[in-house]
């Protein structure tokens, strides 16, 4: 994930954003390493990992967040695909006082 353009003018925020991205990536790498070790040592199977991944993803603790991310991604994709409609919706929300 690159640092967004507006962050380039705020070095502290850009550095923080990069540190967060680095932490997320290192965590993902560590998780993959542990899963690979467990599978290679035949402690668990890939199927078991997938089963538990789905179970945890569907638990209330994570499902709400994943659903919200999915909803936001769909909204941003729609905005990307139809710039004019997105700008109209922003303008309307601004005029209605829904956004500042």
């Amino acid at each position: 994930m690159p640092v967004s353009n507006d962050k380039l003018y705020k070095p502290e925020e850009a550095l923080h954003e990069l540190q967060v991205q680095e932490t997320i990536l290192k965590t993902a790498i560590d998780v993959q390493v542990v899963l690979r070790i467990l599978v290679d040592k035949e402690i668990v199977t890939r199927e078991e990992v997938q089963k538990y991944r789905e179970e945890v993803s569907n638990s209330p603790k994570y499902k709400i967040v994943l659903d919200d991310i999915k909803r936001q991604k769909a909204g941003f994709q729609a905005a990307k695909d139809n710039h004019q409609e997105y700008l109209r919706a922003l303008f309307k929300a601004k005029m209605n006082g829904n956004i500042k």
Side-chain angles (χ1 to χ4, degrees):
M1 262 191 268
V3 176
S4 58
N5 289 338
D6 62 332
K7 300 288 186 196
L8 294 177
Y9 301 106
K10 300 174 186 170
E12 300 84 20
E13 290 181 27
L15 284 170
H16 177 71
E17 186 175 327
L18 287 169
Q19 288 171 335
V20 169
Q21 291 175 17
E22 182 180 37
T23 299
I24 292 168
L25 181 59
K26 285 182 175 182
T27 301
I29 290 168
D30 288 346
V31 169
Q32 289 302 311
V33 167
V34 171
L35 289 173
R36 187 169 175 185
I37 291 168
L38 292 172
V39 170
D40 287 352
K41 292 186 177 273
E42 298 179 355
I43 296 170
V44 297
T45 65
R46 292 181 192 280
E47 293 76 19
E48 288 173 312
V49 170
Q50 184 60 35
K51 176 187 166 206
Y52 284 110
R53 180 179 290 131
E54 289 172 15
E55 186 179 306
V56 171
S57 295
N58 288 319
S59 70
K61 182 177 180 178
Y62 297 105
K63 183 154 179 47
I64 294 168
V65 176
L66 288 171
D67 287 348
D68 187 51
I69 290 170
K70 183 189 277 187
R71 181 187 58 75
Q72 289 185 46
K73 284 174 63 178
F76 284 117
Q77 186 61 51
K80 182 180 172 187
D81 294 342
N82 189 345
H83 300 295
Q84 289 180 342
E85 192 60 37
Y86 176 66
L87 292 173
R88 277 191 201 102
L90 279 178
F91 183 71
K92 183 178 178 183
K94 178 78 171 168
M95 295 301 292
N96 291 338
N98 297 334
I99 58 175
K100 295 180 181 184

